[in-house]
Amino acid sequence: MLNISGLQEGVVLDHIQAGKSLDIYYHLGLDRLTDCQVAIIKNARSNKMGRKDIIKVEGPIDNIDLDVLGYIDHNITVNVIRDNKITEKKALKLPKKITNVIRCKNPRCITSIEQELPHIFYLADEKTETYRCMYCEEKYGKSK
Ligand SMILES: [Zn+2]
């Protein structure tokens, strides 16, 4: 049973691969949340995974970009907490489109020239988790 004590309303990200919690913390921009508590638990014991990381974020689910999270690792469990209870578990999936999460590395891509353009990638192949740049089709394979 996940210990959610001290969290009246919030989100618990469970089953994060051990060692990945800080990456996720920064990718989700949790360092920019100034008025809610964030707790990171590293190397928690897990029956399923051996060791895992957990992130607890106080406040509404809107604080978390589920597309970004789904892109990073869709095996993470998202628990929504209300009144000290888990009220909902959300399943993550690979997002169809991601904006400003990864950057196109093609030097001839328009995003290299026009700095203000958002970096938009779309899911080109779900099996291999391959994304392609919306502008130049440059491939971005997820390293696993
Ligand atoms: Zn590109």
Side-chain angles (χ1 to χ4, degrees):
M1 184 60 198
L2 193 61
N3 178 15
I4 54 158
S5 62
L7 206 60
Q8 260 231 311
E9 187 194 10
V11 182
V12 176
L13 310 177
D14 195 11
H15 302 121
I16 298 169
Q17 262 182 290
K20 291 284 182 202
S21 52
L22 275 181
D23 283 2
I24 288 167
Y25 176 78
Y26 287 112
H27 267 300
L28 290 177
L30 296 178
D31 55 320
R32 293 193 294 270
L33 293 176
T34 50
D35 50 359
C36 52
Q37 294 183 59
V38 178
I40 296 177
I41 298 148
K42 299 183 80 167
N43 300 319
R45 262 176 281 276
S46 161
N47 293 333
K48 206 163 92 182
M49 304 169 71
R51 297 277 168 179
K52 65 178 180 182
D53 288 1
I54 301 168
I55 301 178
K56 301 182 188 185
V57 184
E58 183 190 31
I61 181 94
D62 314 343
N63 284 336
I64 312 278
D65 189 328
L66 295 178
D67 277 353
V68 172
L69 198 59
Y71 169 74
I72 299 169
D73 186 350
H74 57 277
N75 297 311
I76 292 170
T77 311
V78 180
N79 300 284
V80 181
I81 313 296
R82 266 187 214 101
D83 298 324
N84 298 307
K85 284 194 286 280
I86 297 174
T87 54
E88 198 184 340
K89 281 183 187 277
K90 283 185 181 288
L92 292 171
K93 50 182 189 289
L94 277 176
K96 296 272 177 270
K97 202 174 90 176
I98 43 174
T99 304
N100 290 331
V101 179
I102 47 181
R103 301 183 72 78
C104 184
K105 296 204 175 79
N106 176 4
R108 288 183 305 277
C109 179
I110 186 156
T111 56
S112 301
I113 301 150
E114 310 248 347
Q115 301 288 334
E116 71 279 8
L117 274 179
H119 287 238
I120 304 172
F121 281 73
Y122 67 91
L123 182 60
D125 188 338
E126 207 166 339
K127 276 207 192 75
T128 57
E129 302 187 7
T130 302
Y131 282 83
R132 284 183 185 277
C133 175
M134 198 189 77
Y135 307 97
C136 72
E137 298 281 313
E138 176 90 346
K139 203 165 117 178
Y140 194 101
K142 281 186 70 181
S143 46
K144 278 230 150 173

PDB file of all heavy atoms in Angstrom, residues 77-105:
ATOM      1  N   THR A  77       2.653   4.924 -12.812  1.00  0.00           N
ATOM      2  CA  THR A  77       1.274   4.972 -12.362  1.00  0.00           C
ATOM      3  C   THR A  77       0.990   6.361 -11.782  1.00  0.00           C
ATOM      4  O   THR A  77       1.760   6.852 -10.961  1.00  0.00           O
ATOM      5  CB  THR A  77       1.020   3.920 -11.262  1.00  0.00           C
ATOM      6  OG1 THR A  77       1.540   2.669 -11.713  1.00  0.00           O
ATOM      7  CG2 THR A  77      -0.457   3.776 -10.977  1.00  0.00           C
ATOM      8  N   VAL A  78      -0.101   6.953 -12.228  1.00  0.00           N
ATOM      9  CA  VAL A  78      -0.489   8.271 -11.727  1.00  0.00           C
ATOM     10  C   VAL A  78      -1.680   8.097 -10.784  1.00  0.00           C
ATOM     11  O   VAL A  78      -2.752   7.669 -11.192  1.00  0.00           O
ATOM     12  CB  VAL A  78      -0.883   9.209 -12.888  1.00  0.00           C
ATOM     13  CG1 VAL A  78      -1.292  10.582 -12.359  1.00  0.00           C
ATOM     14  CG2 VAL A  78       0.265   9.344 -13.879  1.00  0.00           C
ATOM     15  N   ASN A  79      -1.467   8.374  -9.520  1.00  0.00           N
ATOM     16  CA  ASN A  79      -2.527   8.277  -8.516  1.00  0.00           C
ATOM     17  C   ASN A  79      -2.996   9.673  -8.150  1.00  0.00           C
ATOM     18  O   ASN A  79      -2.190  10.528  -7.784  1.00  0.00           O
ATOM     19  CB  ASN A  79      -2.008   7.612  -7.238  1.00  0.00           C
ATOM     20  CG  ASN A  79      -1.490   6.216  -7.492  1.00  0.00           C
ATOM     21  OD1 ASN A  79      -2.245   5.275  -7.668  1.00  0.00           O
ATOM     22  ND2 ASN A  79      -0.179   6.088  -7.531  1.00  0.00           N
ATOM     23  N   VAL A  80      -4.296   9.907  -8.261  1.00  0.00           N
ATOM     24  CA  VAL A  80      -4.855  11.202  -7.893  1.00  0.00           C
ATOM     25  C   VAL A  80      -5.399  11.103  -6.469  1.00  0.00           C
ATOM     26  O   VAL A  80      -6.168  10.195  -6.156  1.00  0.00           O
ATOM     27  CB  VAL A  80      -5.977  11.625  -8.871  1.00  0.00           C
ATOM     28  CG1 VAL A  80      -6.530  12.993  -8.495  1.00  0.00           C
ATOM     29  CG2 VAL A  80      -5.448  11.633 -10.300  1.00  0.00           C
ATOM     30  N   ILE A  81      -4.970  12.018  -5.624  1.00  0.00           N
ATOM     31  CA  ILE A  81      -5.332  11.981  -4.205  1.00  0.00           C
ATOM     32  C   ILE A  81      -6.322  13.091  -3.884  1.00  0.00           C
ATOM     33  O   ILE A  81      -6.100  14.251  -4.244  1.00  0.00           O
ATOM     34  CB  ILE A  81      -4.077  12.199  -3.307  1.00  0.00           C
ATOM     35  CG1 ILE A  81      -2.897  11.339  -3.756  1.00  0.00           C
ATOM     36  CG2 ILE A  81      -4.412  12.005  -1.835  1.00  0.00           C
ATOM     37  CD1 ILE A  81      -3.104   9.881  -3.637  1.00  0.00           C
ATOM     38  N   ARG A  82      -7.402  12.718  -3.231  1.00  0.00           N
ATOM     39  CA  ARG A  82      -8.311  13.717  -2.665  1.00  0.00           C
ATOM     40  C   ARG A  82      -8.723  13.272  -1.265  1.00  0.00           C
ATOM     41  O   ARG A  82      -9.000  12.101  -1.061  1.00  0.00           O
ATOM     42  CB  ARG A  82      -9.551  13.889  -3.553  1.00  0.00           C
ATOM     43  CG  ARG A  82      -9.364  15.023  -4.523  1.00  0.00           C
ATOM     44  CD  ARG A  82     -10.585  15.378  -5.333  1.00  0.00           C
ATOM     45  NE  ARG A  82     -10.122  15.796  -6.648  1.00  0.00           N
ATOM     46  CZ  ARG A  82     -10.134  15.033  -7.734  1.00  0.00           C
ATOM     47  NH1 ARG A  82     -10.619  13.821  -7.677  1.00  0.00           N
ATOM     48  NH2 ARG A  82      -9.668  15.492  -8.873  1.00  0.00           N
ATOM     49  N   ASP A  83      -8.757  14.204  -0.328  1.00  0.00           N
ATOM     50  CA  ASP A  83      -9.104  13.897   1.060  1.00  0.00           C
ATOM     51  C   ASP A  83      -8.308  12.704   1.592  1.00  0.00           C
ATOM     52  O   ASP A  83      -8.870  11.783   2.180  1.00  0.00           O
ATOM     53  CB  ASP A  83     -10.613  13.620   1.205  1.00  0.00           C
ATOM     54  CG  ASP A  83     -11.437  14.836   0.829  1.00  0.00           C
ATOM     55  OD1 ASP A  83     -10.971  15.960   1.122  1.00  0.00           O
ATOM     56  OD2 ASP A  83     -12.504  14.670   0.230  1.00  0.00           O
ATOM     57  N   ASN A  84      -7.042  12.713   1.342  1.00  0.00           N
ATOM     58  CA  ASN A  84      -6.120  11.681   1.841  1.00  0.00           C
ATOM     59  C   ASN A  84      -6.374  10.292   1.277  1.00  0.00           C
ATOM     60  O   ASN A  84      -5.892   9.309   1.833  1.00  0.00           O
ATOM     61  CB  ASN A  84      -6.157  11.604   3.375  1.00  0.00           C
ATOM     62  CG  ASN A  84      -5.703  12.903   4.000  1.00  0.00           C
ATOM     63  OD1 ASN A  84      -4.622  13.402   3.680  1.00  0.00           O
ATOM     64  ND2 ASN A  84      -6.524  13.464   4.869  1.00  0.00           N
ATOM     65  N   LYS A  85      -7.145  10.180   0.225  1.00  0.00           N
ATOM     66  CA  LYS A  85      -7.415   8.869  -0.377  1.00  0.00           C
ATOM     67  C   LYS A  85      -7.080   8.882  -1.867  1.00  0.00           C
ATOM     68  O   LYS A  85      -7.209   9.913  -2.519  1.00  0.00           O
ATOM     69  CB  LYS A  85      -8.897   8.489  -0.207  1.00  0.00           C
ATOM     70  CG  LYS A  85      -9.257   8.021   1.197  1.00  0.00           C
ATOM     71  CD  LYS A  85     -10.610   7.348   1.222  1.00  0.00           C
ATOM     72  CE  LYS A  85     -11.758   8.337   1.090  1.00  0.00           C
ATOM     73  NZ  LYS A  85     -12.089   9.021   2.364  1.00  0.00           N
ATOM     74  N   ILE A  86      -6.698   7.727  -2.373  1.00  0.00           N
ATOM     75  CA  ILE A  86      -6.498   7.617  -3.813  1.00  0.00           C
ATOM     76  C   ILE A  86      -7.871   7.529  -4.463  1.00  0.00           C
ATOM     77  O   ILE A  86      -8.624   6.586  -4.228  1.00  0.00           O
ATOM     78  CB  ILE A  86      -5.658   6.367  -4.161  1.00  0.00           C
ATOM     79  CG1 ILE A  86      -4.247   6.489  -3.552  1.00  0.00           C
ATOM     80  CG2 ILE A  86      -5.569   6.183  -5.671  1.00  0.00           C
ATOM     81  CD1 ILE A  86      -3.395   5.246  -3.718  1.00  0.00           C
ATOM     82  N   THR A  87      -8.246   8.516  -5.248  1.00  0.00           N
ATOM     83  CA  THR A  87      -9.574   8.525  -5.854  1.00  0.00           C
ATOM     84  C   THR A  87      -9.544   8.083  -7.312  1.00  0.00           C
ATOM     85  O   THR A  87     -10.572   7.754  -7.883  1.00  0.00           O
ATOM     86  CB  THR A  87     -10.206   9.931  -5.801  1.00  0.00           C
ATOM     87  OG1 THR A  87      -9.302  10.855  -6.395  1.00  0.00           O
ATOM     88  CG2 THR A  87     -10.488  10.347  -4.372  1.00  0.00           C
ATOM     89  N   GLU A  88      -8.376   8.098  -7.908  1.00  0.00           N
ATOM     90  CA  GLU A  88      -8.311   7.775  -9.330  1.00  0.00           C
ATOM     91  C   GLU A  88      -6.900   7.325  -9.687  1.00  0.00           C
ATOM     92  O   GLU A  88      -5.925   7.837  -9.157  1.00  0.00           O
ATOM     93  CB  GLU A  88      -8.655   9.042 -10.129  1.00  0.00           C
ATOM     94  CG  GLU A  88      -9.043   8.793 -11.557  1.00  0.00           C
ATOM     95  CD  GLU A  88      -9.280  10.112 -12.312  1.00  0.00           C
ATOM     96  OE1 GLU A  88      -9.515  11.150 -11.667  1.00  0.00           O
ATOM     97  OE2 GLU A  88      -9.225  10.075 -13.544  1.00  0.00           O
ATOM     98  N   LYS A  89      -6.821   6.336 -10.563  1.00  0.00           N
ATOM     99  CA  LYS A  89      -5.534   5.953 -11.127  1.00  0.00           C
ATOM    100  C   LYS A  89      -5.602   6.209 -12.619  1.00  0.00           C
ATOM    101  O   LYS A  89      -6.523   5.763 -13.281  1.00  0.00           O
ATOM    102  CB  LYS A  89      -5.256   4.463 -10.877  1.00  0.00           C
ATOM    103  CG  LYS A  89      -4.781   4.158  -9.479  1.00  0.00           C
ATOM    104  CD  LYS A  89      -4.463   2.684  -9.346  1.00  0.00           C
ATOM    105  CE  LYS A  89      -4.149   2.313  -7.910  1.00  0.00           C
ATOM    106  NZ  LYS A  89      -2.749   2.590  -7.543  1.00  0.00           N
ATOM    107  N   LYS A  90      -4.654   6.943 -13.116  1.00  0.00           N
ATOM    108  CA  LYS A  90      -4.669   7.269 -14.536  1.00  0.00           C
ATOM    109  C   LYS A  90      -3.632   6.438 -15.273  1.00  0.00           C
ATOM    110  O   LYS A  90      -2.509   6.297 -14.809  1.00  0.00           O
ATOM    111  CB  LYS A  90      -4.356   8.751 -14.743  1.00  0.00           C
ATOM    112  CG  LYS A  90      -5.521   9.656 -14.429  1.00  0.00           C
ATOM    113  CD  LYS A  90      -5.170  11.087 -14.775  1.00  0.00           C
ATOM    114  CE  LYS A  90      -6.305  12.038 -14.465  1.00  0.00           C
ATOM    115  NZ  LYS A  90      -7.435  11.891 -15.399  1.00  0.00           N
ATOM    116  N   ALA A  91      -4.044   5.896 -16.406  1.00  0.00           N
ATOM    117  CA  ALA A  91      -3.102   5.169 -17.244  1.00  0.00           C
ATOM    118  C   ALA A  91      -2.450   6.152 -18.208  1.00  0.00           C
ATOM    119  O   ALA A  91      -3.105   7.054 -18.722  1.00  0.00           O
ATOM    120  CB  ALA A  91      -3.834   4.083 -18.021  1.00  0.00           C
ATOM    121  N   LEU A  92      -1.172   5.965 -18.420  1.00  0.00           N
ATOM    122  CA  LEU A  92      -0.464   6.839 -19.355  1.00  0.00           C
ATOM    123  C   LEU A  92      -0.309   6.128 -20.676  1.00  0.00           C
ATOM    124  O   LEU A  92      -0.229   4.912 -20.735  1.00  0.00           O
ATOM    125  CB  LEU A  92       0.913   7.181 -18.804  1.00  0.00           C
ATOM    126  CG  LEU A  92       0.949   8.062 -17.567  1.00  0.00           C
ATOM    127  CD1 LEU A  92       2.362   8.131 -17.029  1.00  0.00           C
ATOM    128  CD2 LEU A  92       0.446   9.451 -17.896  1.00  0.00           C
ATOM    129  N   LYS A  93      -0.276   6.875 -21.734  1.00  0.00           N
ATOM    130  CA  LYS A  93       0.067   6.291 -23.023  1.00  0.00           C
ATOM    131  C   LYS A  93       1.026   7.216 -23.756  1.00  0.00           C
ATOM    132  O   LYS A  93       1.164   8.389 -23.406  1.00  0.00           O
ATOM    133  CB  LYS A  93      -1.175   5.996 -23.838  1.00  0.00           C
ATOM    134  CG  LYS A  93      -2.155   7.132 -23.945  1.00  0.00           C
ATOM    135  CD  LYS A  93      -3.352   6.662 -24.757  1.00  0.00           C
ATOM    136  CE  LYS A  93      -4.280   7.802 -25.097  1.00  0.00           C
ATOM    137  NZ  LYS A  93      -5.054   8.357 -23.996  1.00  0.00           N
ATOM    138  N   LEU A  94       1.667   6.670 -24.760  1.00  0.00           N
ATOM    139  CA  LEU A  94       2.560   7.498 -25.553  1.00  0.00           C
ATOM    140  C   LEU A  94       1.734   8.585 -26.219  1.00  0.00           C
ATOM    141  O   LEU A  94       0.762   8.285 -26.908  1.00  0.00           O
ATOM    142  CB  LEU A  94       3.224   6.656 -26.646  1.00  0.00           C
ATOM    143  CG  LEU A  94       4.446   5.843 -26.255  1.00  0.00           C
ATOM    144  CD1 LEU A  94       4.889   5.021 -27.452  1.00  0.00           C
ATOM    145  CD2 LEU A  94       5.574   6.720 -25.771  1.00  0.00           C
ATOM    146  N   PRO A  95       2.094   9.838 -26.036  1.00  0.00           N
ATOM    147  CA  PRO A  95       1.315  10.900 -26.667  1.00  0.00           C
ATOM    148  C   PRO A  95       1.526  10.913 -28.176  1.00  0.00           C
ATOM    149  O   PRO A  95       2.588  10.546 -28.671  1.00  0.00           O
ATOM    150  CB  PRO A  95       1.873  12.171 -26.028  1.00  0.00           C
ATOM    151  CG  PRO A  95       3.223  11.810 -25.545  1.00  0.00           C
ATOM    152  CD  PRO A  95       3.203  10.352 -25.222  1.00  0.00           C
ATOM    153  N   LYS A  96       0.489  11.322 -28.903  1.00  0.00           N
ATOM    154  CA  LYS A  96       0.566  11.410 -30.369  1.00  0.00           C
ATOM    155  C   LYS A  96       1.471  12.547 -30.794  1.00  0.00           C
ATOM    156  O   LYS A  96       2.072  12.528 -31.848  1.00  0.00           O
ATOM    157  CB  LYS A  96      -0.830  11.637 -30.955  1.00  0.00           C
ATOM    158  CG  LYS A  96      -1.783  10.478 -30.714  1.00  0.00           C
ATOM    159  CD  LYS A  96      -1.686   9.437 -31.816  1.00  0.00           C
ATOM    160  CE  LYS A  96      -2.565   8.239 -31.548  1.00  0.00           C
ATOM    161  NZ  LYS A  96      -1.883   7.191 -30.784  1.00  0.00           N
ATOM    162  N   LYS A  97       1.521  13.563 -29.962  1.00  0.00           N
ATOM    163  CA  LYS A  97       2.278  14.760 -30.311  1.00  0.00           C
ATOM    164  C   LYS A  97       2.908  15.321 -29.043  1.00  0.00           C
ATOM    165  O   LYS A  97       2.273  15.335 -27.994  1.00  0.00           O
ATOM    166  CB  LYS A  97       1.313  15.795 -30.905  1.00  0.00           C
ATOM    167  CG  LYS A  97       1.979  16.837 -31.764  1.00  0.00           C
ATOM    168  CD  LYS A  97       0.938  17.735 -32.421  1.00  0.00           C
ATOM    169  CE  LYS A  97       0.635  18.916 -31.534  1.00  0.00           C
ATOM    170  NZ  LYS A  97      -0.308  19.876 -32.151  1.00  0.00           N
ATOM    171  N   ILE A  98       4.158  15.739 -29.157  1.00  0.00           N
ATOM    172  CA  ILE A  98       4.793  16.389 -28.010  1.00  0.00           C
ATOM    173  C   ILE A  98       5.417  17.709 -28.455  1.00  0.00           C
ATOM    174  O   ILE A  98       5.992  17.805 -29.530  1.00  0.00           O
ATOM    175  CB  ILE A  98       5.862  15.499 -27.342  1.00  0.00           C
ATOM    176  CG1 ILE A  98       6.735  14.809 -28.390  1.00  0.00           C
ATOM    177  CG2 ILE A  98       5.228  14.477 -26.417  1.00  0.00           C
ATOM    178  CD1 ILE A  98       7.880  14.033 -27.799  1.00  0.00           C
ATOM    179  N   THR A  99       5.267  18.697 -27.615  1.00  0.00           N
ATOM    180  CA  THR A  99       5.741  20.037 -27.948  1.00  0.00           C
ATOM    181  C   THR A  99       6.791  20.473 -26.934  1.00  0.00           C
ATOM    182  O   THR A  99       6.541  20.430 -25.734  1.00  0.00           O
ATOM    183  CB  THR A  99       4.554  21.027 -27.941  1.00  0.00           C
ATOM    184  OG1 THR A  99       3.552  20.538 -28.836  1.00  0.00           O
ATOM    185  CG2 THR A  99       4.984  22.409 -28.397  1.00  0.00           C
ATOM    186  N   ASN A 100       7.956  20.841 -27.454  1.00  0.00           N
ATOM    187  CA  ASN A 100       9.050  21.348 -26.618  1.00  0.00           C
ATOM    188  C   ASN A 100       9.493  20.385 -25.531  1.00  0.00           C
ATOM    189  O   ASN A 100       9.806  20.792 -24.413  1.00  0.00           O
ATOM    190  CB  ASN A 100       8.664  22.693 -25.984  1.00  0.00           C
ATOM    191  CG  ASN A 100       8.600  23.790 -27.025  1.00  0.00           C
ATOM    192  OD1 ASN A 100       9.312  23.737 -28.037  1.00  0.00           O
ATOM    193  ND2 ASN A 100       7.745  24.768 -26.801  1.00  0.00           N
ATOM    194  N   VAL A 101       9.489  19.114 -25.838  1.00  0.00           N
ATOM    195  CA  VAL A 101      10.016  18.123 -24.899  1.00  0.00           C
ATOM    196  C   VAL A 101      11.374  17.645 -25.386  1.00  0.00           C
ATOM    197  O   VAL A 101      12.336  17.561 -24.636  1.00  0.00           O
ATOM    198  CB  VAL A 101       9.050  16.932 -24.743  1.00  0.00           C
ATOM    199  CG1 VAL A 101       9.618  15.901 -23.773  1.00  0.00           C
ATOM    200  CG2 VAL A 101       7.691  17.416 -24.264  1.00  0.00           C
ATOM    201  N   ILE A 102      11.435  17.329 -26.673  1.00  0.00           N
ATOM    202  CA  ILE A 102      12.714  16.993 -27.289  1.00  0.00           C
ATOM    203  C   ILE A 102      12.982  18.024 -28.381  1.00  0.00           C
ATOM    204  O   ILE A 102      12.053  18.686 -28.863  1.00  0.00           O
ATOM    205  CB  ILE A 102      12.704  15.553 -27.880  1.00  0.00           C
ATOM    206  CG1 ILE A 102      11.433  15.319 -28.705  1.00  0.00           C
ATOM    207  CG2 ILE A 102      12.833  14.518 -26.786  1.00  0.00           C
ATOM    208  CD1 ILE A 102      11.336  13.930 -29.309  1.00  0.00           C
ATOM    209  N   ARG A 103      14.243  18.148 -28.758  1.00  0.00           N
ATOM    210  CA  ARG A 103      14.600  19.153 -29.754  1.00  0.00           C
ATOM    211  C   ARG A 103      15.118  18.479 -31.020  1.00  0.00           C
ATOM    212  O   ARG A 103      15.786  17.464 -30.970  1.00  0.00           O
ATOM    213  CB  ARG A 103      15.653  20.097 -29.193  1.00  0.00           C
ATOM    214  CG  ARG A 103      15.197  20.813 -27.943  1.00  0.00           C
ATOM    215  CD  ARG A 103      16.235  21.789 -27.442  1.00  0.00           C
ATOM    216  NE  ARG A 103      16.346  22.965 -28.295  1.00  0.00           N
ATOM    217  CZ  ARG A 103      15.480  23.978 -28.275  1.00  0.00           C
ATOM    218  NH1 ARG A 103      14.468  23.966 -27.442  1.00  0.00           N
ATOM    219  NH2 ARG A 103      15.641  25.004 -29.076  1.00  0.00           N
ATOM    220  N   CYS A 104      14.772  19.086 -32.158  1.00  0.00           N
ATOM    221  CA  CYS A 104      15.232  18.546 -33.426  1.00  0.00           C
ATOM    222  C   CYS A 104      16.727  18.821 -33.582  1.00  0.00           C
ATOM    223  O   CYS A 104      17.194  19.924 -33.327  1.00  0.00           O
ATOM    224  CB  CYS A 104      14.459  19.190 -34.567  1.00  0.00           C
ATOM    225  SG  CYS A 104      14.912  18.484 -36.159  1.00  0.00           S
ATOM    226  N   LYS A 105      17.470  17.780 -33.976  1.00  0.00           N
ATOM    227  CA  LYS A 105      18.921  17.938 -34.068  1.00  0.00           C
ATOM    228  C   LYS A 105      19.396  18.164 -35.503  1.00  0.00           C
ATOM    229  O   LYS A 105      20.593  18.292 -35.753  1.00  0.00           O
ATOM    230  CB  LYS A 105      19.603  16.690 -33.490  1.00  0.00           C
ATOM    231  CG  LYS A 105      19.309  16.528 -32.003  1.00  0.00           C
ATOM    232  CD  LYS A 105      20.391  15.716 -31.324  1.00  0.00           C
ATOM    233  CE  LYS A 105      20.157  15.652 -29.828  1.00  0.00           C
ATOM    234  NZ  LYS A 105      19.123  14.664 -29.486  1.00  0.00           N
TER     235      LYS A 105
END
